[in-house]
Amino acid sequence: MTKKKPITERVFSGMQPTGSLHLGNYLGAMINWIEMQKTRECIYCVVDLHAITVWQDPAELRQSIRQVTAAYIAAGLDPKKSIVFNQSQVAAHAELAWVFNCVARLGWLNRMTQFKEKAGKDREQASVGLYAYPNLMAADILAYRATHVPVGEDQKQHLELARDIAQKFNNDFKTSIEALGHPDGIFFPQPEPVITGPATRVMSLRDGTKKMSKSDPSDLSRINLTDDADAIATKIRKAKTDPEPLPSDEKGFEGRPEAENLVGIYAALTHRTVESVLTDFGGQQFSTFKKALAEVATDRLGRIGDETRRLMAEPGYIDHVLADGAARARAIATPIMDQVKDIVGLLRS
Ligand code: AMP
Ligand code: TRP
């Protein structure tokens, strides 16, 4: 019988390997990932099983998994310290997701706004995987009994679902969990979203009311972490604005989402407050501000792009990082999955 251990703090997060990462991923999530690895046990995943909820070209998918891994490392994740791996190499994710498919209720999933957005009008044609996607996400986190999940604003609803699943599992199997040596009946912790930082919702450069996204058909809408200085400068020059000069305080952003977004990005990249950026640029034309923004963005992202390209030239190294990460991840997740089987009443040898 397993003895009850205190639940330790553990961080888990992931990104999908579909296309290259962008400024929203970096400012919304990754900055926190890098910060958290300094003080806590962290597990960072390339969620390839989530990627195939919509069809992916197999050769491009393989390339994207390596590229996102390279971008993680280039941005500052240390694969010796943190666990960095791709989801499909650790079977516990898919196994626990199945158990959660049987715990979560249809009504809960029907409320997920991201599914509605992604499936669009023709919901009948969406894959079953796209619908069940949040259950797999809950499994990612809870296969490690992780307690903290740094993500951008758009993942808040999925995290709430993961908390509901953890709670329902604990309730549904209370007696069995207690018999296994958890006297308080708690097997899964309630994972906490960590949605903080300079820019938890970075908007599209073409439309300040839409979030910056990998799936936007216009590449001008986002700054990719692999864009070179020329591409960054062009995208910022072409970014949508309005004819007014920059406002002198935050109240002046009323009805001006593009202005608010660009100033927010500048503030996040330079570790300054929006107020202080407006003290410098309030009253000035966008043309002046955009030059300054292009400079700071190139400075910060240029290095990440260069390092990503350098790492991509060494696929052997990337594959080694992923294999090593997967082995370390398995060492945590397999015993937890074994306990889940015991709790649910599945026989194992
Ligand atoms: P995804 O690209 O959907 O795999 O998202 C990976 C992470 O980046 C998640 O934590 C998202 O919440 C975050 N993220 C994606 N787009 C944005 C955005 N435009 N602004 C802030 N965070 C974002
Ligand atoms: N659904 C997340 C996204 O699209 C990615 C993700 C999958 C994730 N599993 C996760 C994030 C577990 C945090 C924890 O952004």
PDB file of all heavy atoms in Angstrom, residues 13-18 21-30 33 47 114 118 133 150-155 199-204 211-214, ligand 1:
ATOM      1  N   SER A  13       3.461  22.763 -18.105  1.00  0.00           N
ATOM      2  CA  SER A  13       2.791  23.508 -19.169  1.00  0.00           C
ATOM      3  C   SER A  13       3.223  22.958 -20.526  1.00  0.00           C
ATOM      4  O   SER A  13       4.154  22.145 -20.606  1.00  0.00           O
ATOM      5  CB  SER A  13       3.068  25.004 -19.074  1.00  0.00           C
ATOM      6  OG  SER A  13       2.109  25.706 -19.858  1.00  0.00           O
ATOM      7  N   GLY A  14       2.533  23.390 -21.572  1.00  0.00           N
ATOM      8  CA  GLY A  14       2.848  22.879 -22.905  1.00  0.00           C
ATOM      9  C   GLY A  14       2.396  23.807 -24.006  1.00  0.00           C
ATOM     10  O   GLY A  14       1.591  24.713 -23.785  1.00  0.00           O
ATOM     11  N   MET A  15       2.954  23.572 -25.185  1.00  0.00           N
ATOM     12  CA  MET A  15       2.522  24.297 -26.387  1.00  0.00           C
ATOM     13  C   MET A  15       2.405  23.319 -27.541  1.00  0.00           C
ATOM     14  O   MET A  15       3.117  22.316 -27.597  1.00  0.00           O
ATOM     15  CB  MET A  15       3.533  25.370 -26.776  1.00  0.00           C
ATOM     16  CG  MET A  15       3.636  26.471 -25.748  1.00  0.00           C
ATOM     17  SD  MET A  15       4.359  27.943 -26.395  1.00  0.00           S
ATOM     18  CE  MET A  15       4.601  28.839 -24.849  1.00  0.00           C
ATOM     19  N   GLN A  16       1.548  23.680 -28.481  1.00  0.00           N
ATOM     20  CA  GLN A  16       1.330  22.796 -29.625  1.00  0.00           C
ATOM     21  C   GLN A  16       2.369  23.017 -30.722  1.00  0.00           C
ATOM     22  O   GLN A  16       2.656  24.162 -31.054  1.00  0.00           O
ATOM     23  CB  GLN A  16      -0.038  23.082 -30.224  1.00  0.00           C
ATOM     24  CG  GLN A  16      -1.162  22.803 -29.282  1.00  0.00           C
ATOM     25  CD  GLN A  16      -2.488  22.840 -30.011  1.00  0.00           C
ATOM     26  OE1 GLN A  16      -2.708  22.104 -30.958  1.00  0.00           O
ATOM     27  NE2 GLN A  16      -3.349  23.720 -29.558  1.00  0.00           N
ATOM     28  N   PRO A  17       2.877  21.924 -31.289  1.00  0.00           N
ATOM     29  CA  PRO A  17       3.819  22.064 -32.403  1.00  0.00           C
ATOM     30  C   PRO A  17       3.080  22.205 -33.739  1.00  0.00           C
ATOM     31  O   PRO A  17       3.085  21.296 -34.552  1.00  0.00           O
ATOM     32  CB  PRO A  17       4.624  20.761 -32.336  1.00  0.00           C
ATOM     33  CG  PRO A  17       3.639  19.764 -31.799  1.00  0.00           C
ATOM     34  CD  PRO A  17       2.708  20.528 -30.887  1.00  0.00           C
ATOM     35  N   THR A  18       2.430  23.329 -33.888  1.00  0.00           N
ATOM     36  CA  THR A  18       1.775  23.600 -35.171  1.00  0.00           C
ATOM     37  C   THR A  18       2.289  24.960 -35.595  1.00  0.00           C
ATOM     38  O   THR A  18       1.956  25.962 -34.971  1.00  0.00           O
ATOM     39  CB  THR A  18       0.243  23.675 -35.005  1.00  0.00           C
ATOM     40  OG1 THR A  18      -0.050  24.460 -33.844  1.00  0.00           O
ATOM     41  CG2 THR A  18      -0.369  22.307 -34.830  1.00  0.00           C
ATOM     42  N   LEU A  21       6.421  29.289 -33.034  1.00  0.00           N
ATOM     43  CA  LEU A  21       5.919  30.040 -31.884  1.00  0.00           C
ATOM     44  C   LEU A  21       5.981  31.538 -32.182  1.00  0.00           C
ATOM     45  O   LEU A  21       6.780  31.989 -32.988  1.00  0.00           O
ATOM     46  CB  LEU A  21       6.753  29.713 -30.647  1.00  0.00           C
ATOM     47  CG  LEU A  21       6.748  28.242 -30.231  1.00  0.00           C
ATOM     48  CD1 LEU A  21       7.503  28.053 -28.921  1.00  0.00           C
ATOM     49  CD2 LEU A  21       5.325  27.721 -30.077  1.00  0.00           C
ATOM     50  N   HIS A  22       5.145  32.291 -31.506  1.00  0.00           N
ATOM     51  CA  HIS A  22       5.090  33.736 -31.770  1.00  0.00           C
ATOM     52  C   HIS A  22       5.200  34.541 -30.472  1.00  0.00           C
ATOM     53  O   HIS A  22       5.285  33.969 -29.372  1.00  0.00           O
ATOM     54  CB  HIS A  22       3.810  34.072 -32.544  1.00  0.00           C
ATOM     55  CG  HIS A  22       2.554  33.588 -31.871  1.00  0.00           C
ATOM     56  ND1 HIS A  22       2.050  34.166 -30.740  1.00  0.00           N
ATOM     57  CD2 HIS A  22       1.717  32.556 -32.165  1.00  0.00           C
ATOM     58  CE1 HIS A  22       0.944  33.537 -30.364  1.00  0.00           C
ATOM     59  NE2 HIS A  22       0.726  32.537 -31.211  1.00  0.00           N
ATOM     60  N   LEU A  23       5.174  35.849 -30.660  1.00  0.00           N
ATOM     61  CA  LEU A  23       5.345  36.761 -29.535  1.00  0.00           C
ATOM     62  C   LEU A  23       4.304  36.544 -28.425  1.00  0.00           C
ATOM     63  O   LEU A  23       4.605  36.714 -27.250  1.00  0.00           O
ATOM     64  CB  LEU A  23       5.255  38.197 -30.080  1.00  0.00           C
ATOM     65  CG  LEU A  23       5.615  39.332 -29.147  1.00  0.00           C
ATOM     66  CD1 LEU A  23       7.066  39.226 -28.694  1.00  0.00           C
ATOM     67  CD2 LEU A  23       5.383  40.675 -29.845  1.00  0.00           C
ATOM     68  N   GLY A  24       3.079  36.160 -28.805  1.00  0.00           N
ATOM     69  CA  GLY A  24       2.036  35.898 -27.803  1.00  0.00           C
ATOM     70  C   GLY A  24       2.411  34.721 -26.917  1.00  0.00           C
ATOM     71  O   GLY A  24       2.270  34.772 -25.700  1.00  0.00           O
ATOM     72  N   ASN A  25       2.930  33.658 -27.532  1.00  0.00           N
ATOM     73  CA  ASN A  25       3.371  32.494 -26.756  1.00  0.00           C
ATOM     74  C   ASN A  25       4.496  32.905 -25.793  1.00  0.00           C
ATOM     75  O   ASN A  25       4.532  32.472 -24.639  1.00  0.00           O
ATOM     76  CB  ASN A  25       3.949  31.402 -27.667  1.00  0.00           C
ATOM     77  CG  ASN A  25       2.938  30.831 -28.643  1.00  0.00           C
ATOM     78  OD1 ASN A  25       3.216  30.714 -29.825  1.00  0.00           O
ATOM     79  ND2 ASN A  25       1.754  30.485 -28.166  1.00  0.00           N
ATOM     80  N   TYR A  26       5.388  33.737 -26.309  1.00  0.00           N
ATOM     81  CA  TYR A  26       6.559  34.130 -25.520  1.00  0.00           C
ATOM     82  C   TYR A  26       6.159  35.005 -24.332  1.00  0.00           C
ATOM     83  O   TYR A  26       6.469  34.693 -23.181  1.00  0.00           O
ATOM     84  CB  TYR A  26       7.564  34.855 -26.428  1.00  0.00           C
ATOM     85  CG  TYR A  26       8.820  35.282 -25.720  1.00  0.00           C
ATOM     86  CD1 TYR A  26       9.699  34.346 -25.193  1.00  0.00           C
ATOM     87  CD2 TYR A  26       9.135  36.641 -25.570  1.00  0.00           C
ATOM     88  CE1 TYR A  26      10.856  34.735 -24.530  1.00  0.00           C
ATOM     89  CE2 TYR A  26      10.289  37.039 -24.921  1.00  0.00           C
ATOM     90  CZ  TYR A  26      11.135  36.083 -24.404  1.00  0.00           C
ATOM     91  OH  TYR A  26      12.275  36.477 -23.737  1.00  0.00           O
ATOM     92  N   LEU A  27       5.436  36.090 -24.611  1.00  0.00           N
ATOM     93  CA  LEU A  27       5.088  37.027 -23.531  1.00  0.00           C
ATOM     94  C   LEU A  27       3.971  36.476 -22.643  1.00  0.00           C
ATOM     95  O   LEU A  27       3.935  36.735 -21.445  1.00  0.00           O
ATOM     96  CB  LEU A  27       4.655  38.376 -24.118  1.00  0.00           C
ATOM     97  CG  LEU A  27       5.726  39.148 -24.888  1.00  0.00           C
ATOM     98  CD1 LEU A  27       5.131  40.426 -25.476  1.00  0.00           C
ATOM     99  CD2 LEU A  27       6.930  39.486 -24.013  1.00  0.00           C
ATOM    100  N   GLY A  28       3.057  35.691 -23.247  1.00  0.00           N
ATOM    101  CA  GLY A  28       1.915  35.190 -22.483  1.00  0.00           C
ATOM    102  C   GLY A  28       2.278  34.036 -21.571  1.00  0.00           C
ATOM    103  O   GLY A  28       1.718  33.896 -20.490  1.00  0.00           O
ATOM    104  N   ALA A  29       3.200  33.190 -22.000  1.00  0.00           N
ATOM    105  CA  ALA A  29       3.458  31.980 -21.215  1.00  0.00           C
ATOM    106  C   ALA A  29       4.944  31.749 -20.928  1.00  0.00           C
ATOM    107  O   ALA A  29       5.351  31.557 -19.781  1.00  0.00           O
ATOM    108  CB  ALA A  29       2.879  30.773 -21.948  1.00  0.00           C
ATOM    109  N   MET A  30       5.754  31.790 -21.966  1.00  0.00           N
ATOM    110  CA  MET A  30       7.115  31.303 -21.817  1.00  0.00           C
ATOM    111  C   MET A  30       7.980  32.086 -20.841  1.00  0.00           C
ATOM    112  O   MET A  30       8.823  31.510 -20.156  1.00  0.00           O
ATOM    113  CB  MET A  30       7.776  31.319 -23.181  1.00  0.00           C
ATOM    114  CG  MET A  30       8.210  29.948 -23.585  1.00  0.00           C
ATOM    115  SD  MET A  30       9.278  30.193 -24.914  1.00  0.00           S
ATOM    116  CE  MET A  30       8.688  29.155 -26.078  1.00  0.00           C
ATOM    117  N   TRP A  33       7.480  30.539 -17.688  1.00  0.00           N
ATOM    118  CA  TRP A  33       8.105  29.210 -17.619  1.00  0.00           C
ATOM    119  C   TRP A  33       9.577  29.356 -17.210  1.00  0.00           C
ATOM    120  O   TRP A  33      10.075  28.607 -16.375  1.00  0.00           O
ATOM    121  CB  TRP A  33       8.082  28.505 -18.975  1.00  0.00           C
ATOM    122  CG  TRP A  33       6.744  28.172 -19.546  1.00  0.00           C
ATOM    123  CD1 TRP A  33       5.519  28.635 -19.156  1.00  0.00           C
ATOM    124  CD2 TRP A  33       6.509  27.276 -20.640  1.00  0.00           C
ATOM    125  NE1 TRP A  33       4.547  28.089 -19.946  1.00  0.00           N
ATOM    126  CE2 TRP A  33       5.120  27.264 -20.855  1.00  0.00           C
ATOM    127  CE3 TRP A  33       7.337  26.500 -21.449  1.00  0.00           C
ATOM    128  CZ2 TRP A  33       4.538  26.488 -21.860  1.00  0.00           C
ATOM    129  CZ3 TRP A  33       6.750  25.733 -22.446  1.00  0.00           C
ATOM    130  CH2 TRP A  33       5.373  25.735 -22.648  1.00  0.00           C
ATOM    131  N   VAL A  47       3.130  19.455 -27.016  1.00  0.00           N
ATOM    132  CA  VAL A  47       1.922  18.626 -26.993  1.00  0.00           C
ATOM    133  C   VAL A  47       1.517  18.186 -28.414  1.00  0.00           C
ATOM    134  O   VAL A  47       0.567  18.682 -29.005  1.00  0.00           O
ATOM    135  CB  VAL A  47       0.756  19.302 -26.226  1.00  0.00           C
ATOM    136  CG1 VAL A  47       1.085  19.386 -24.742  1.00  0.00           C
ATOM    137  CG2 VAL A  47       0.431  20.690 -26.743  1.00  0.00           C
ATOM    138  N   GLN A 114     -13.215  27.494 -26.774  1.00  0.00           N
ATOM    139  CA  GLN A 114     -12.173  27.281 -27.801  1.00  0.00           C
ATOM    140  C   GLN A 114     -12.627  26.244 -28.829  1.00  0.00           C
ATOM    141  O   GLN A 114     -12.339  26.380 -30.015  1.00  0.00           O
ATOM    142  CB  GLN A 114     -10.855  26.861 -27.161  1.00  0.00           C
ATOM    143  CG  GLN A 114      -9.725  26.833 -28.183  1.00  0.00           C
ATOM    144  CD  GLN A 114      -8.353  26.699 -27.545  1.00  0.00           C
ATOM    145  OE1 GLN A 114      -7.948  27.498 -26.712  1.00  0.00           O
ATOM    146  NE2 GLN A 114      -7.628  25.673 -27.927  1.00  0.00           N
ATOM    147  N   LYS A 118     -12.731  26.886 -32.754  1.00  0.00           N
ATOM    148  CA  LYS A 118     -11.907  26.082 -33.673  1.00  0.00           C
ATOM    149  C   LYS A 118     -12.755  25.243 -34.612  1.00  0.00           C
ATOM    150  O   LYS A 118     -12.387  25.035 -35.760  1.00  0.00           O
ATOM    151  CB  LYS A 118     -10.949  25.176 -32.899  1.00  0.00           C
ATOM    152  CG  LYS A 118      -9.767  25.916 -32.312  1.00  0.00           C
ATOM    153  CD  LYS A 118      -8.621  24.973 -32.012  1.00  0.00           C
ATOM    154  CE  LYS A 118      -7.450  25.722 -31.405  1.00  0.00           C
ATOM    155  NZ  LYS A 118      -6.415  24.837 -30.905  1.00  0.00           N
ATOM    156  N   TYR A 133     -10.276  17.403 -26.473  1.00  0.00           N
ATOM    157  CA  TYR A 133      -8.976  18.057 -26.246  1.00  0.00           C
ATOM    158  C   TYR A 133      -8.754  18.507 -24.791  1.00  0.00           C
ATOM    159  O   TYR A 133      -7.691  18.247 -24.206  1.00  0.00           O
ATOM    160  CB  TYR A 133      -8.948  19.219 -27.235  1.00  0.00           C
ATOM    161  CG  TYR A 133      -7.842  20.202 -27.228  1.00  0.00           C
ATOM    162  CD1 TYR A 133      -7.010  20.335 -28.340  1.00  0.00           C
ATOM    163  CD2 TYR A 133      -7.624  21.074 -26.160  1.00  0.00           C
ATOM    164  CE1 TYR A 133      -6.014  21.290 -28.378  1.00  0.00           C
ATOM    165  CE2 TYR A 133      -6.625  22.019 -26.193  1.00  0.00           C
ATOM    166  CZ  TYR A 133      -5.831  22.131 -27.300  1.00  0.00           C
ATOM    167  OH  TYR A 133      -4.842  23.066 -27.336  1.00  0.00           O
ATOM    168  N   PRO A 150       1.465  27.559 -15.755  1.00  0.00           N
ATOM    169  CA  PRO A 150       1.603  28.893 -16.361  1.00  0.00           C
ATOM    170  C   PRO A 150       1.139  28.894 -17.820  1.00  0.00           C
ATOM    171  O   PRO A 150       1.698  28.184 -18.655  1.00  0.00           O
ATOM    172  CB  PRO A 150       3.117  29.167 -16.266  1.00  0.00           C
ATOM    173  CG  PRO A 150       3.762  27.819 -16.165  1.00  0.00           C
ATOM    174  CD  PRO A 150       2.759  26.878 -15.564  1.00  0.00           C
ATOM    175  N   VAL A 151       0.112  29.682 -18.109  1.00  0.00           N
ATOM    176  CA  VAL A 151      -0.469  29.755 -19.459  1.00  0.00           C
ATOM    177  C   VAL A 151      -0.933  31.183 -19.738  1.00  0.00           C
ATOM    178  O   VAL A 151      -0.974  32.024 -18.836  1.00  0.00           O
ATOM    179  CB  VAL A 151      -1.707  28.831 -19.598  1.00  0.00           C
ATOM    180  CG1 VAL A 151      -1.317  27.378 -19.737  1.00  0.00           C
ATOM    181  CG2 VAL A 151      -2.684  29.025 -18.448  1.00  0.00           C
ATOM    182  N   GLY A 152      -1.325  31.426 -20.984  1.00  0.00           N
ATOM    183  CA  GLY A 152      -1.944  32.708 -21.346  1.00  0.00           C
ATOM    184  C   GLY A 152      -3.421  32.688 -20.987  1.00  0.00           C
ATOM    185  O   GLY A 152      -4.002  31.634 -20.682  1.00  0.00           O
ATOM    186  N   GLU A 153      -4.002  33.858 -21.033  1.00  0.00           N
ATOM    187  CA  GLU A 153      -5.407  34.082 -20.662  1.00  0.00           C
ATOM    188  C   GLU A 153      -6.391  33.108 -21.344  1.00  0.00           C
ATOM    189  O   GLU A 153      -7.355  32.636 -20.736  1.00  0.00           O
ATOM    190  CB  GLU A 153      -5.713  35.535 -21.074  1.00  0.00           C
ATOM    191  CG  GLU A 153      -7.108  36.014 -20.888  1.00  0.00           C
ATOM    192  CD  GLU A 153      -7.485  36.196 -19.435  1.00  0.00           C
ATOM    193  OE1 GLU A 153      -6.628  36.642 -18.650  1.00  0.00           O
ATOM    194  OE2 GLU A 153      -8.636  35.878 -19.105  1.00  0.00           O
ATOM    195  N   ASP A 154      -6.113  32.764 -22.612  1.00  0.00           N
ATOM    196  CA  ASP A 154      -7.071  31.950 -23.374  1.00  0.00           C
ATOM    197  C   ASP A 154      -7.230  30.522 -22.834  1.00  0.00           C
ATOM    198  O   ASP A 154      -8.157  29.820 -23.226  1.00  0.00           O
ATOM    199  CB  ASP A 154      -6.670  31.911 -24.864  1.00  0.00           C
ATOM    200  CG  ASP A 154      -5.289  31.314 -25.089  1.00  0.00           C
ATOM    201  OD1 ASP A 154      -4.526  31.179 -24.109  1.00  0.00           O
ATOM    202  OD2 ASP A 154      -4.976  30.970 -26.231  1.00  0.00           O
ATOM    203  N   GLN A 155      -6.336  30.101 -21.936  1.00  0.00           N
ATOM    204  CA  GLN A 155      -6.419  28.731 -21.411  1.00  0.00           C
ATOM    205  C   GLN A 155      -7.144  28.629 -20.082  1.00  0.00           C
ATOM    206  O   GLN A 155      -7.247  27.541 -19.490  1.00  0.00           O
ATOM    207  CB  GLN A 155      -5.011  28.132 -21.265  1.00  0.00           C
ATOM    208  CG  GLN A 155      -4.296  27.945 -22.588  1.00  0.00           C
ATOM    209  CD  GLN A 155      -5.108  27.082 -23.538  1.00  0.00           C
ATOM    210  OE1 GLN A 155      -5.553  26.001 -23.185  1.00  0.00           O
ATOM    211  NE2 GLN A 155      -5.328  27.566 -24.749  1.00  0.00           N
ATOM    212  N   ALA A 199       2.032  40.481 -20.490  1.00  0.00           N
ATOM    213  CA  ALA A 199       1.083  40.495 -21.607  1.00  0.00           C
ATOM    214  C   ALA A 199       0.429  39.121 -21.700  1.00  0.00           C
ATOM    215  O   ALA A 199       0.880  38.261 -22.438  1.00  0.00           O
ATOM    216  CB  ALA A 199       1.820  40.830 -22.900  1.00  0.00           C
ATOM    217  N   THR A 200      -0.640  38.920 -20.940  1.00  0.00           N
ATOM    218  CA  THR A 200      -1.283  37.602 -20.915  1.00  0.00           C
ATOM    219  C   THR A 200      -2.177  37.397 -22.136  1.00  0.00           C
ATOM    220  O   THR A 200      -2.645  36.300 -22.382  1.00  0.00           O
ATOM    221  CB  THR A 200      -2.131  37.421 -19.640  1.00  0.00           C
ATOM    222  OG1 THR A 200      -3.036  38.517 -19.550  1.00  0.00           O
ATOM    223  CG2 THR A 200      -1.259  37.375 -18.407  1.00  0.00           C
ATOM    224  N   ARG A 201      -2.420  38.474 -22.879  1.00  0.00           N
ATOM    225  CA  ARG A 201      -3.209  38.369 -24.106  1.00  0.00           C
ATOM    226  C   ARG A 201      -2.657  39.354 -25.132  1.00  0.00           C
ATOM    227  O   ARG A 201      -3.013  40.541 -25.128  1.00  0.00           O
ATOM    228  CB  ARG A 201      -4.676  38.666 -23.774  1.00  0.00           C
ATOM    229  CG  ARG A 201      -5.625  38.322 -24.875  1.00  0.00           C
ATOM    230  CD  ARG A 201      -7.069  38.360 -24.363  1.00  0.00           C
ATOM    231  NE  ARG A 201      -8.009  38.349 -25.465  1.00  0.00           N
ATOM    232  CZ  ARG A 201      -8.415  37.243 -26.088  1.00  0.00           C
ATOM    233  NH1 ARG A 201      -7.986  36.069 -25.697  1.00  0.00           N
ATOM    234  NH2 ARG A 201      -9.260  37.320 -27.096  1.00  0.00           N
ATOM    235  N   VAL A 202      -1.779  38.860 -25.988  1.00  0.00           N
ATOM    236  CA  VAL A 202      -1.189  39.698 -27.045  1.00  0.00           C
ATOM    237  C   VAL A 202      -2.117  39.618 -28.255  1.00  0.00           C
ATOM    238  O   VAL A 202      -2.557  38.534 -28.644  1.00  0.00           O
ATOM    239  CB  VAL A 202       0.222  39.183 -27.420  1.00  0.00           C
ATOM    240  CG1 VAL A 202       0.814  40.007 -28.562  1.00  0.00           C
ATOM    241  CG2 VAL A 202       1.136  39.219 -26.201  1.00  0.00           C
ATOM    242  N   MET A 203      -2.416  40.769 -28.847  1.00  0.00           N
ATOM    243  CA  MET A 203      -3.398  40.794 -29.935  1.00  0.00           C
ATOM    244  C   MET A 203      -2.708  40.791 -31.309  1.00  0.00           C
ATOM    245  O   MET A 203      -1.521  41.091 -31.431  1.00  0.00           O
ATOM    246  CB  MET A 203      -4.305  42.028 -29.797  1.00  0.00           C
ATOM    247  CG  MET A 203      -4.937  42.192 -28.417  1.00  0.00           C
ATOM    248  SD  MET A 203      -5.735  40.702 -27.774  1.00  0.00           S
ATOM    249  CE  MET A 203      -7.291  40.796 -28.627  1.00  0.00           C
ATOM    250  N   SER A 204      -3.503  40.467 -32.327  1.00  0.00           N
ATOM    251  CA  SER A 204      -3.017  40.436 -33.702  1.00  0.00           C
ATOM    252  C   SER A 204      -2.542  41.832 -34.146  1.00  0.00           C
ATOM    253  O   SER A 204      -3.128  42.838 -33.761  1.00  0.00           O
ATOM    254  CB  SER A 204      -4.162  39.972 -34.611  1.00  0.00           C
ATOM    255  OG  SER A 204      -3.984  40.439 -35.927  1.00  0.00           O
ATOM    256  N   LYS A 211      -6.919  37.784 -30.935  1.00  0.00           N
ATOM    257  CA  LYS A 211      -5.624  37.467 -30.326  1.00  0.00           C
ATOM    258  C   LYS A 211      -4.604  37.036 -31.387  1.00  0.00           C
ATOM    259  O   LYS A 211      -4.994  36.494 -32.433  1.00  0.00           O
ATOM    260  CB  LYS A 211      -5.778  36.431 -29.214  1.00  0.00           C
ATOM    261  CG  LYS A 211      -6.032  35.045 -29.690  1.00  0.00           C
ATOM    262  CD  LYS A 211      -5.872  34.020 -28.583  1.00  0.00           C
ATOM    263  CE  LYS A 211      -6.061  32.665 -29.235  1.00  0.00           C
ATOM    264  NZ  LYS A 211      -5.825  31.514 -28.493  1.00  0.00           N
ATOM    265  N   MET A 212      -3.354  37.304 -31.102  1.00  0.00           N
ATOM    266  CA  MET A 212      -2.285  36.846 -31.992  1.00  0.00           C
ATOM    267  C   MET A 212      -2.292  35.325 -31.953  1.00  0.00           C
ATOM    268  O   MET A 212      -2.324  34.736 -30.876  1.00  0.00           O
ATOM    269  CB  MET A 212      -0.935  37.392 -31.519  1.00  0.00           C
ATOM    270  CG  MET A 212       0.219  37.070 -32.440  1.00  0.00           C
ATOM    271  SD  MET A 212       1.789  37.801 -31.913  1.00  0.00           S
ATOM    272  CE  MET A 212       1.590  39.519 -32.377  1.00  0.00           C
ATOM    273  N   SER A 213      -2.277  34.699 -33.128  1.00  0.00           N
ATOM    274  CA  SER A 213      -2.454  33.248 -33.154  1.00  0.00           C
ATOM    275  C   SER A 213      -1.678  32.612 -34.298  1.00  0.00           C
ATOM    276  O   SER A 213      -1.500  33.211 -35.353  1.00  0.00           O
ATOM    277  CB  SER A 213      -3.959  32.976 -33.280  1.00  0.00           C
ATOM    278  OG  SER A 213      -4.201  31.771 -33.941  1.00  0.00           O
ATOM    279  N   LYS A 214      -1.239  31.363 -34.045  1.00  0.00           N
ATOM    280  CA  LYS A 214      -0.530  30.602 -35.072  1.00  0.00           C
ATOM    281  C   LYS A 214      -1.420  30.323 -36.267  1.00  0.00           C
ATOM    282  O   LYS A 214      -0.947  30.112 -37.365  1.00  0.00           O
ATOM    283  CB  LYS A 214      -0.157  29.225 -34.512  1.00  0.00           C
ATOM    284  CG  LYS A 214       1.014  29.197 -33.626  1.00  0.00           C
ATOM    285  CD  LYS A 214       1.108  27.795 -33.018  1.00  0.00           C
ATOM    286  CE  LYS A 214       1.908  27.847 -31.751  1.00  0.00           C
ATOM    287  NZ  LYS A 214       1.730  26.665 -30.930  1.00  0.00           N
TER     288      LYS A 214
HETATM  289  P1  AMP B   1      -0.724  27.497 -28.256  1.00  0.00           P
HETATM  290  O1  AMP B   1       0.011  28.289 -29.255  1.00  0.00           O
HETATM  291  O2  AMP B   1      -2.204  27.569 -28.442  1.00  0.00           O
HETATM  292  O3  AMP B   1      -0.196  26.095 -28.078  1.00  0.00           O
HETATM  293  O4  AMP B   1      -0.485  28.239 -26.871  1.00  0.00           O
HETATM  294  C1  AMP B   1       0.647  28.024 -26.060  1.00  0.00           C
HETATM  295  C2  AMP B   1       0.643  28.989 -24.888  1.00  0.00           C
HETATM  296  O5  AMP B   1       0.757  30.341 -25.340  1.00  0.00           O
HETATM  297  C3  AMP B   1      -0.630  28.932 -24.049  1.00  0.00           C
HETATM  298  O6  AMP B   1      -0.270  29.083 -22.682  1.00  0.00           O
HETATM  299  C4  AMP B   1      -1.410  30.124 -24.517  1.00  0.00           C
HETATM  300  O7  AMP B   1      -2.283  30.622 -23.540  1.00  0.00           O
HETATM  301  C5  AMP B   1      -0.308  31.130 -24.833  1.00  0.00           C
HETATM  302  N1  AMP B   1      -0.743  32.070 -25.876  1.00  0.00           N
HETATM  303  C6  AMP B   1      -1.075  31.750 -27.161  1.00  0.00           C
HETATM  304  N2  AMP B   1      -1.424  32.865 -27.849  1.00  0.00           N
HETATM  305  C7  AMP B   1      -1.316  33.907 -26.986  1.00  0.00           C
HETATM  306  C8  AMP B   1      -1.534  35.320 -27.100  1.00  0.00           C
HETATM  307  N3  AMP B   1      -1.924  35.867 -28.240  1.00  0.00           N
HETATM  308  N4  AMP B   1      -1.310  36.084 -26.012  1.00  0.00           N
HETATM  309  C9  AMP B   1      -0.902  35.527 -24.844  1.00  0.00           C
HETATM  310  N5  AMP B   1      -0.673  34.207 -24.662  1.00  0.00           N
HETATM  311  C10 AMP B   1      -0.879  33.402 -25.720  1.00  0.00           C
END
